[in-house]
């Protein structure tokens, strides 16, 4: 595997289900990100982890719970979601999340989530 | 707060024709500007970026963009579009801290044969 991978690629869940999205990066990076991509809306940054520490929580509802056990893996745990949470969830990674120089983000293909 | 506007939701061009995608930004300091492309079923890929210096920047796949501070614009151009350029294009503004990056809503490009 190379780059940033995400599983599953598609997920359909009911509002009472609990599911998890997984992201893995094979680039040796130290920062990982979750974004929400809804149709015709700007990409929304949800969470940022830098060296396994959460550095950004962009006012995301508590029904989304991130977990970063190490620099290569990032999870998004989902529970009691709403239909408006249906979207493409993108994971990205970069060498670091900020600093004295630019860190290019590399994106995974996303998980298409549908909440019924 | 920083923001990005992409005025065109959808653009259709014929293969071989020239292309210009518009991007306007709002940013309190010197902006760092980016264009990303997203092909169907793929993640976003960086096409080009502007930090400073020459206001005309070259990117991958034959794309270029021009930074115009007076117009707060960073439009993407390509002289001759190929069918494989059909995708969604996102403009973004930010700085060295990726937490501050803001994306536009995207422009979907359709290429007619």
């Amino acid at each position: 595997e190379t780059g940033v991978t995400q599983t599953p690629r598609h997920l359909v869940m009911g509002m009472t289900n609990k599911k998890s999205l997984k992201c893995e990066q094979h680039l040796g990076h130290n920062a990982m990100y979750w974004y929400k991509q809804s149709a015709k809306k700007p990409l929304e940054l949800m969470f940022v982890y830098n060296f396994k520490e959460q550095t950004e929580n962009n006012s995301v509802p508590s029904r989304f719970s991130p977990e970063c056990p190490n620099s290569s893996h990032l999870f998004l745990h989902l529970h009691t979601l709403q239909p408006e949470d249906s979207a493409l969830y993108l994971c990205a990674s970069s060498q670091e999340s900020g600093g004295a120089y630019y860190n290019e983000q590399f994106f995974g293909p996303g998980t298409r989530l549908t909440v019924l | 707060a920083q923001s990005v506007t992409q005025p065109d939701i959808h653009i259709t061009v014929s293969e071989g024709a020239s292309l210009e995608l518009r991007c306007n930004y709002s940013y309190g300091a010197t902006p760092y500007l980016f264009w990303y492309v997203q092909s169907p079923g793929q993640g976003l890929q960086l096409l080009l970026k502007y930090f400073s210096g020459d206001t005309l920047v070259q990117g991958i796949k034959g794309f270029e963009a021009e930074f115009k501070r007076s117009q707060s614009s960073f439009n993407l151009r390509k002289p001759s579009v190929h069918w494989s350029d059909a995708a969604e294009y996102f403009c973004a503004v930010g700085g060295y801290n990726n937490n501050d990056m803001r994306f536009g809503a995207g422009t979907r490009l359709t290429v007619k044969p």
Side-chain angles (χ1 to χ4, degrees), chain A residues 28-42:
Chain A
H29 290 163
N30 297 299
M32 297 188 77
Y33 312 76
W34 279 117
Y35 286 89
K36 178 182 180 182
Q37 184 178 17
S38 304
K40 299 183 174 57
K41 292 178 66 176

Side-chain angles (χ1 to χ4, degrees), chain A residues 87-106:
Chain A
L88 182 69
Y89 288 85
L90 292 169
C91 174
S93 72
S94 65
Q95 188 59 43
E96 295 182 31
S97 65
Y101 54 90
Y102 168 64
N103 291 268
E104 180 178 344
Q105 293 184 70
F106 293 82

Side-chain angles (χ1 to χ4, degrees), chain B residues 14-35:
Chain B
S14 298
E15 190 167 17
S18 64
L19 170 71
E20 182 169 29
L21 302 182
R22 296 184 291 164
C23 172
N24 293 99
Y25 67 88
S26 171
Y27 197 74
T30 301
Y32 301 116
L33 295 156
F34 309 84
W35 274 101

Side-chain angles (χ1 to χ4, degrees), chain B residues 10-91:
Chain B
H10 184 204
I11 283 183
T12 300
V13 299
S14 298
E15 190 167 17
S18 64
L19 170 71
E20 182 169 29
L21 302 182
R22 296 184 291 164
C23 172
N24 293 99
Y25 67 88
S26 171
Y27 197 74
T30 301
Y32 301 116
L33 295 156
F34 309 84
W35 274 101
Y36 287 84
V37 62
Q38 184 180 32
S39 299
Q42 304 292 318
L44 276 67
Q45 180 185 19
L46 182 67
L47 278 177
L48 48 79
K49 59 186 181 287
Y50 171 78
F51 287 167
S52 64
D54 192 346
T55 56
L56 184 65
V57 294
Q58 304 296 320
I60 61 172
K61 306 186 182 189
F63 286 92
E64 66 179 26
E66 186 172 13
F67 170 57
K68 293 185 177 180
R69 185 186 297 274
S70 62
Q71 298 177 20
S72 298
S73 69
F74 188 58
N75 293 350
L76 182 71
R77 301 194 295 247
K78 187 169 185 178
S80 177
V81 168
H82 188 261
W83 64 265
S84 60
D85 294 324
E88 186 126 25
Y89 292 80
F90 294 90
C91 182

Side-chain angles (χ1 to χ4, degrees), chain A residues 32-102:
Chain A
M32 297 188 77
Y33 312 76
W34 279 117
Y35 286 89
K36 178 182 180 182
Q37 184 178 17
S38 304
K40 299 183 174 57
K41 292 178 66 176
L43 215 61
E44 299 173 51
L45 179 64
M46 300 174 72
F47 302 104
V48 181
Y49 280 82
N50 198 39
F51 293 92
K52 300 191 296 178
E53 296 297 319
Q54 188 179 123
T55 60
E56 182 81 13
N57 177 338
N58 202 12
S59 303
V60 180
S62 59
R63 57 186 184 268
F64 295 90
S65 174
E67 179 189 2
C68 188
N70 55 62
S71 292
S72 298
H73 294 87
L74 184 65
F75 295 89
L76 188 62
H77 303 299
L78 316 170
H79 63 97
T80 58
L81 294 192
Q82 306 298 311
E84 59 264 29
D85 297 321
S86 298
L88 182 69
Y89 288 85
L90 292 169
C91 174
S93 72
S94 65
Q95 188 59 43
E96 295 182 31
S97 65
Y101 54 90
Y102 168 64

